[in-house]
């Protein structure tokens, strides 16, 4: 059957996340972006919503079951509040979710309870590399087997909370495939950049370059153990998360600019009463809906183990990049000069919007 | 029911059967009926009528399910509109023009279904289960009233002596008007639903639909249009001069209230039919995209999914973008029809699906012709025909612009007066 209603449980979760997004994340977003600081309390409150915890079974310290659909629904609601805040709250998932999905039993037992027990703590992952044609399936960072260890070499970029992270899940190319390796902060040859990444947006999210020079990782720390893991499913989960957050950001921009257009007067009427504006809004809403549904379908396919899930996630994420740029650009346009002023959030959302094309790897469901 | 994207069995079955129909009965004749405008595809019509009867279905007119006879069926979630959308998508993948020649009630029956009483539904819709293929059509548009159908000039006046409505006016762009009204030997008696005002001073509030039986005196098909595409579908101009129809053929109340209830009912028809028309756009777009991929594969061009955009060729980017458009527009159709099936108000989703599908159908077919170059433009292949056919999906059942207006009013909470 086709059905588009979230379950009651999902709806309750979405409502809780929405409340946090609107009452906590959104009001803090501007200052966080300007001062490049996200209050710890704010992250802690988001962590307490328990999105990650609810996706991990009790046997590993959580209290639920992972579902990409639920994850996509929740993360969209959160990103509606603020993208940087969302990515910060969800950073430990970057480490834990791949372990949950593809880790060996020992890895799950060792790491999952540590991540989800108690307060938010910096566990993270490093996928992105600093190249214009960065391709998650063709990484420049390499892993080679030498005796009992894999040796990692390369440089990663855009790694959230890398400074002070307990462990980093590092993606590297091994025998032509992308594989993940659990690297502890004490590992020799691992160095995290002093300075934060300076990006077009996400100033509030501390991200760093991470260098790996001859870093030895025991075979047991390869995700999934010596046999490794399926990368496609992890990449698909990241792409779905990326698409879902893009929908959230776009929806924020759409709603804000729509409300503005209903207030702002020109030539004696509200500008929303002008077709030039009204049609832009209609198209924004339509494109948001299109990508939201595509994202849901990809997530559902992933949850139900469909063969084409990975490709669907690719399409959703690719479509989301265009949609987010289009919608956020128009939001700025509708506010006109005011949209260009940083007092209004739309210009930040437009900067977020362009980022969707490069943010795969910063969130996972 | 949680969020799910599993096509129900009846839908996958229909898709499977109709793919064969499209391949065997439609595609081989596509070019012929494109080049022989106004010729009626009798073989196809008869085949489809018999095939649908054999399958237990009658036509694509929404089923009358008010009786509740089949208690078992009532328990399952309704999928009527979703199924029709899937059928239309599959048939339009075959040929949009020939899909219009599918016997059944079409938009005329849809109007009776949504604006008529239970008695009227039984009286007017049962004919589509008969021995002969039967058609019905919707007459709204006039020379001076297209998207702005409140400007309709056709009048209906009650003759109290005979208790008949007397209708006068000129209707154009009546899809299937000829097959619905003209009495062909091979067809059952159809009808047209004529929209007319019973009180011009009341504006929209005075607008009603009237069921006008095929062959009614004073009504004439005066012209069949020559079109850019969907040439297999007849598009009639119909004149009504003192045409008399029985009192009970009016859809809705015979008296004018001070509100727009009657007109809103007429417009509510569109909430049901817009996603269905959107489905036809998705069908023709899929035909074009699949054809392109076939031709590219024949030439050894592979589409490398999964790569970052920076590494894709221009053709790969186009194909991937088209797939995103196609898939997402289909999901919008499914959601809008799912809402209709579940009696959720879907004016917004219905119009959004039409906005999207209109865009997608025109963009994809035009892009496919472009990418195929001299092959795309050639009449040896159907790509150029699909481009001509697809254009209509952004025009009829509300142009893309009218649907944007509907979407905008919905999201802004504006009335027609607030956003003109």
């Amino acid at each position: 059957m086709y059905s588009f209603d979230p379950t009651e449980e999902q709806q309750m979760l979405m409502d809780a996340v929405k409340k946090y997004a609107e009452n906590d994340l959104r009001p803090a977003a501007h200052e966080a972006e300007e001062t490049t600081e996200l209050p710890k309390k704010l992250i802690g409150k988001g962590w307490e919503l328990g999105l990650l915890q609810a996706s991990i079974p009790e046997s590993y310290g959580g209290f639920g079951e992972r579902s990409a659909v639920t994850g996509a629904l929740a993360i969209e609601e959160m990103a509606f509040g603020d993208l940087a805040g969302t990515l910060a709250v969800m950073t430990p998932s970057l480490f834990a979710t791949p372990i949950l999905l593809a880790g060996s039993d020992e890895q799950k037992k060792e790491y999952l309870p540590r991540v989800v027990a108690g307060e938010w703590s910096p566990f993270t992952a490093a996928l992105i590399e600093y190249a214009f044609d960065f391709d998650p399936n063709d990484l420049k960072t390499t892993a080679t087997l030498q005796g009992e260890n894999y040796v990692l070499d390369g440089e990663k970029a855009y790694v959230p909370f890398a400074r002070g992270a307990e462990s980093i899940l590092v993606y590297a190319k091994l025998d032509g495939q992308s594989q993940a390796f659990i690297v502890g902060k004490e590992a020799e040859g691992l160095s995290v950049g002093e300075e934060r990444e300076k990006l077009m947006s996400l100033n509030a999210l501390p991200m760093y370059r991470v260098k790996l020079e001859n870093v030895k990782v025991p075979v047991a720390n390869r995700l999934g153990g010596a046999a490794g893991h399926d990368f496609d499913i992890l990449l698909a989960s990241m792409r779905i998360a990326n698409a879902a957050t893009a929908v959230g950001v776009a929806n924020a921009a759409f709603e804000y600019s729509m409300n503005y257009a209903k207030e702002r007067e020109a030539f004696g009427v509200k500008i929303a009463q002008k077709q030039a504006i009204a049609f832009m809004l209609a198209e924004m809403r339509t494109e948001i809906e299109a990508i939201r549904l595509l994202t849901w379908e990809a997530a559902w396919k992933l949850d139900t183990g469909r063969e084409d899930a990975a490709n669907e996630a690719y399409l959703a994420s690719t479509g989301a990049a265009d949609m987010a740029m289009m919608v956020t650009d128009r939001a700025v346009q509708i506010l006109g000069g005011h949209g260009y002023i940083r007092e209004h959030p739309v210009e930040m959302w437009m900067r977020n919007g362009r980022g969707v094309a490069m943010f795969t790897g910063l969130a996972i469901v | 029911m949680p969020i799910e994207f599993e096509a129900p069995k009846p839908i996958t079955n229909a898709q499977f059967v109709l793919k064969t129909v499209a391949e065997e009965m439609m595609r081989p004749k596509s070019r012929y009926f494109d080049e022989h405008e106004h010729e009626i595809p009798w073989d196809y019509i008869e085949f489809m009528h018999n095939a649908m009867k054999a399958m237990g279905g009658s036509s694509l007119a929404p089923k009358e399910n008010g009786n509740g006879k089949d208690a078992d069926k009532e328990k399952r979630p309704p999928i009527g509109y979703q199924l029709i959308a899937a059928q239309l998508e599959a048939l339009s993948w075959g040929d949009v023009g020939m899909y219009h020649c599918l016997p059944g009630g079409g938009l005329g029956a849809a109007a009776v279904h949504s604006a008529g009483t239970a008695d009227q539904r039984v009286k007017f819709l049962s004919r589509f289960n008969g021995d002969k293929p039967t058609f019905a059509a919707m007459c709204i548009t006039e020379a001076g009233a297209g998207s702005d159908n409140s400007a309709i000039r056709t009048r209906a006046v009650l003759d109290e002596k005979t208790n008949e409505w007397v209708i006068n006016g000129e209707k154009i762009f009546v899809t299937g008007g000829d097959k619905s009204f003209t009495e062909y030997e091979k067809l059952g008696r159809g009808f047209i639903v004529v929209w007319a005002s019973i009180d011009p001073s009341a504006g929209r509030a005075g607008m009603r639909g009237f069921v006008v039986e095929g062959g009614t005196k004073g009504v004439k098909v005066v012209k069949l249009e020559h079109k850019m595409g969907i040439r297999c579908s007849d598009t009639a101009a119909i004149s009504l001069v003192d045409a008399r129809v029985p009192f009970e053929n009016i859809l809705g109340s015979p008296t004018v209230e001070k509100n727009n209830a009657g007109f809103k009912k007429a417009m509510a028809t569109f909430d049901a039919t817009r996603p269905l028309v959107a489905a036809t756009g998705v069908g023709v777009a899929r035909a074009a995209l699949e054809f392109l991929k076939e031709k590219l594969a024949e030439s050894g061009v592979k589409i490398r999914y999964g790569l970052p955009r920076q590494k894709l060729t221009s053709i790969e980017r186009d194909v991937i973008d088209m797939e995103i458009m196609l898939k997402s527009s289909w999901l919008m159709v499914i959601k809008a029809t799912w809402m209709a099936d579940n009696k959720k108000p879907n004016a917004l989703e219905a119009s959004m699906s039409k906005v999207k599908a209109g865009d997608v159908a025109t963009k994809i077919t035009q892009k496919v012709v472009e990418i195929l170059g001299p092959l795309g433009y050639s009449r040896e292949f159907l790509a150029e025909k699909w481009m001509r056919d697809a254009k209509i999906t952004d025009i009829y059942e509300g142009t893309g612009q009218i649907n944007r207006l509907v979407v905008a009013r919905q999201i802004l909470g504006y009335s027609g007066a607030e956003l003109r």
Side-chain angles (χ1 to χ4, degrees):
Chain A
M1 286 289 156
Y2 290 113
S3 179
F4 299 86
D5 281 333
T7 62
E8 233 171 89
E9 252 176 71
Q10 285 169 337
Q11 193 58 55
M12 275 166 57
L13 182 68
M14 287 160 73
D15 292 345
V17 174
K18 194 185 172 86
K19 220 172 122 196
Y20 167 71
E22 284 182 346
N23 299 343
D24 299 287
L25 279 185
R26 179 76 66 86
H30 177 70
E31 206 186 317
E33 173 78 2
E34 296 289 322
T35 61
T36 76
E37 288 299 327
L38 272 165
K40 263 213 122 151
K41 253 180 126 177
L42 184 71
I43 298 175
K45 195 167 178 189
W47 176 250
E48 280 162 22
L49 290 166
L51 296 191
L52 175 61
Q53 297 90 319
S55 73
I56 288 172
E58 273 176 47
S59 47
Y60 299 119
F63 54 83
E65 198 187 344
R66 181 257 188 183
S67 146
V69 170
T70 307
L73 293 171
I75 207 168
E76 181 200 320
E77 293 292 352
M78 206 188 279
F80 179 79
D82 175 46
L83 183 59
T86 300
L87 298 178
V89 169
M90 300 309 295
T91 291
S93 313
L94 290 174
F95 182 81
T97 303
I99 291 179
L100 176 72
L101 294 175
S104 66
D105 203 45
E106 291 78 47
Q107 289 165 349
K108 289 183 200 178
K109 274 186 196 144
E110 181 174 353
Y111 292 102
L112 295 181
R114 273 169 59 192
V115 178
V116 295
E119 292 181 5
W120 180 96
S121 50
F123 288 88
T124 187
L127 175 71
I128 299 171
E129 294 171 349
Y130 207 66
F132 86 92
D133 57 351
F134 162 69
D135 180 354
N137 282 304
D138 184 16
L139 299 172
K140 301 289 178 283
T141 302
T142 56
T144 38
L145 186 60
Q146 285 180 16
E148 309 274 284
N149 295 311
Y150 289 103
V151 176
L152 304 187
D153 275 295
E155 189 178 15
K156 300 306 239 179
Y158 292 28
V159 186
F161 294 99
R163 275 201 97 71
E166 294 294 319
S167 288
I168 306 178
L169 193 67
V170 177
Y171 292 87
K173 193 187 214 173
L174 174 68
D175 302 329
Q177 297 214 350
S178 295
Q179 291 288 294
F181 300 86
I182 301 167
V183 180
K185 65 176 173 189
E186 66 293 335
E188 213 171 300
L190 175 80
S191 58
V192 178
E194 297 278 329
E195 285 196 29
R196 282 163 63 159
E197 294 274 17
K198 295 189 185 74
L199 308 182
M200 189 184 192
S201 77
L202 300 185
N203 290 326
L205 183 72
M207 290 190 276
Y208 300 88
R209 298 284 165 82
V210 172
K211 258 198 190 129
L212 300 120
E213 290 166 303
N214 214 17
V215 176
K216 293 193 173 66
V217 180
V219 169
N221 277 13
R222 177 181 178 187
L223 188 65
H229 62 91
D230 177 9
F231 177 64
D232 286 355
I233 204 172
L234 302 184
L235 182 57
S237 307
M238 292 189 253
R239 282 175 165 156
I240 289 166
N242 189 40
T245 52
V247 172
V249 170
N251 202 30
F254 159 72
E255 220 185 81
Y256 193 93
S257 57
M258 180 175 78
N259 291 335
Y260 180 88
K262 287 176 80 171
E263 293 296 321
R264 172 78 184 178
E265 285 194 17
F267 307 106
V269 293
K270 309 291 184 194
I271 61 168
Q273 291 178 272
K274 300 280 187 192
Q275 287 191 355
I277 303 294
F279 279 22
M280 284 208 278
L281 289 165
E283 287 168 3
M284 289 154 78
R285 177 71 177 79
T286 301
E287 291 308 309
I288 290 171
E289 178 83 350
I291 297 300
R292 178 185 283 136
L293 294 178
L294 197 59
T295 305
W296 286 8
E297 187 182 44
W300 175 81
K301 284 188 170 178
L302 197 63
D303 283 344
T304 52
R306 307 284 148 146
E307 229 174 273
D308 57 343
N311 197 47
E312 193 92 359
Y314 169 70
L315 295 179
S317 177
T318 305
D322 282 348
M323 179 279 291
M325 188 72 260
M326 177 273 223
V327 171
T328 55
D329 171 76
R330 286 182 173 199
V332 171
Q333 191 69 22
I334 288 170
L335 268 78
H338 295 279
Y340 204 70
I341 305 289
R342 295 215 298 277
E343 265 168 49
H344 286 284
V346 286
E347 65 81 29
M348 182 179 78
W349 289 327
M350 181 178 151
R351 292 183 281 119
N352 288 164
R354 179 68 291 168
V356 174
M358 14 274 167
F359 288 165
T360 293
L362 296 188
I364 191 166
V365 289
Chain B
M1 285 271 296
I3 291 170
E4 241 184 72
F5 292 88
E6 177 97 71
K9 256 273 142 61
I11 287 185
T12 50
N13 287 346
Q15 285 168 331
F16 180 78
V17 172
L18 292 176
K19 184 175 194 308
T20 313
V21 169
E23 278 172 344
E24 303 290 324
M25 299 297 294
M26 301 173 93
R27 288 281 180 93
K29 298 285 175 138
S30 268
R31 184 55 71 186
Y32 178 87
F33 286 109
D34 183 54
E35 292 183 347
H36 296 76
E37 196 165 20
H38 302 149
E39 223 176 90
I40 299 178
W42 291 115
D43 290 351
Y44 162 77
I45 288 174
E46 274 162 29
F47 171 85
M48 288 307 288
H49 181 66
N50 292 326
M52 287 189 294
K53 273 178 81 171
M55 279 159 61
S58 50
S59 74
L60 292 183
K63 303 277 182 304
E64 179 47 56
N65 55 2
N67 311 333
K69 275 180 198 155
D70 197 336
D72 185 44
K73 265 188 183 163
E74 296 290 312
K75 278 179 200 156
R76 278 181 243 154
I79 58 162
Y81 281 112
Q82 296 163 66
L83 180 59
I84 298 174
Q87 289 167 332
L88 299 196
E89 195 272 350
L91 290 167
S92 302
W93 178 87
D95 188 302
V96 188
M98 290 178 81
Y99 133 68
H100 279 294
C101 298
L102 195 71
L107 298 180
V112 174
H113 192 78
S114 63
T117 62
D119 282 351
Q120 285 173 324
R121 283 181 227 170
V122 173
K123 182 175 172 193
F124 296 120
L125 300 183
S126 57
R127 71 186 69 195
F128 301 108
N129 305 317
D131 289 337
K132 284 184 177 178
T134 304
F135 290 85
M138 179 97 134
C139 314
I140 294 192
T141 304
E142 297 176 6
S147 293
D148 179 11
N149 40 39
S150 63
I152 284 170
R153 302 267 301 271
T154 299
R155 288 277 332 254
V157 180
L158 185 65
D159 180 344
E160 282 174 7
K161 277 186 223 145
T162 61
N163 207 26
E164 288 171 319
W165 295 99
V166 182
I167 308 178
N168 280 286
E170 295 263 355
K171 293 290 179 182
I172 61 167
F173 296 172
V174 182
T175 298
D178 181 48
K179 286 189 283 292
S180 301
F181 187 81
T182 306
E183 294 176 283
Y184 289 98
E185 212 179 298
K186 293 176 182 174
L187 297 179
R189 173 182 277 203
F191 63 78
I192 53 179
V193 172
V194 176
W195 289 91
S197 173
I198 55 172
D199 180 1
S201 68
R204 289 179 161 170
M207 219 64 79
R208 296 289 182 279
F210 294 86
V211 177
V212 178
E213 293 283 356
T216 297
K217 259 192 179 170
V219 184
K220 234 173 110 182
V221 174
V222 291
K223 186 184 174 193
L224 295 177
E225 303 288 352
H226 298 267
K227 303 190 298 295
M228 180 189 197
I230 57 164
R231 292 182 182 163
C232 190
S233 159
D234 73 78
T235 302
I238 292 179
S239 85
L240 300 102
V241 181
D242 291 334
R244 290 177 166 267
V245 305
F247 177 78
E248 61 272 17
N249 284 22
I250 187 171
L251 301 178
S253 164
T255 52
V256 178
E257 306 96 35
K258 286 221 170 77
N259 58 45
N260 277 346
F263 187 77
K264 279 192 173 148
K265 261 196 168 167
M267 292 301 107
T269 312
F270 288 123
D271 295 345
T273 53
R274 274 180 176 147
L276 301 180
V277 175
T280 68
V282 176
V284 64
R286 182 166 65 88
L289 183 55
E290 285 180 6
F291 179 72
L292 171 67
K293 284 164 83 174
E294 255 169 56
K295 285 285 152 204
L296 289 176
E298 276 173 28
S299 308
V301 178
K302 263 196 188 156
I303 308 300
R304 296 166 299 163
Y305 294 93
L307 283 187
R309 284 202 164 174
Q310 293 86 333
K311 286 188 177 176
L312 295 171
T313 64
S314 148
I315 288 182
E316 287 172 327
R317 283 183 76 147
D318 284 341
V319 169
I320 286 165
D321 286 345
M322 287 192 277
E323 276 192 34
I324 293 165
M325 287 191 244
L326 186 70
K327 274 177 191 277
S328 57
S329 65
W330 175 240
L331 294 176
M332 293 178 80
V333 168
I334 286 294
K335 185 178 175 189
T337 50
W338 169 82
M339 293 178 84
D341 282 330
N342 288 283
K343 311 253 182 300
K344 295 170 189 269
N346 73 337
L348 172 62
E349 285 77 7
S351 279
M352 284 202 300
S353 75
K354 178 67 168 56
V355 166
K356 183 71 178 167
D359 269 356
V360 163
T362 49
K363 275 188 195 151
I364 287 184
T365 53
Q366 289 166 14
K367 186 53 97 177
V368 165
V369 170
E370 181 205 324
I371 293 178
L372 287 172
L375 278 67
Y377 207 68
S378 162
R379 281 195 283 153
E380 272 181 40
F381 294 112
L382 290 170
E384 64 82 27
K385 176 183 179 293
W386 291 329
M387 178 184 138
R388 288 185 285 113
D389 287 351
K391 184 60 199 165
I392 193 62
T393 51
D394 203 23
I395 296 173
Y396 62 14
E397 206 67 9
T399 60
Q401 288 62 44
I402 283 299
N403 277 297
R404 277 165 176 77
L405 203 54
V406 175
V407 171
R409 284 176 188 155
Q410 288 282 331
I411 57 180
L412 289 159
Y414 280 166
S415 66
E418 287 167 306
L419 177 59
R420 289 174 184 280

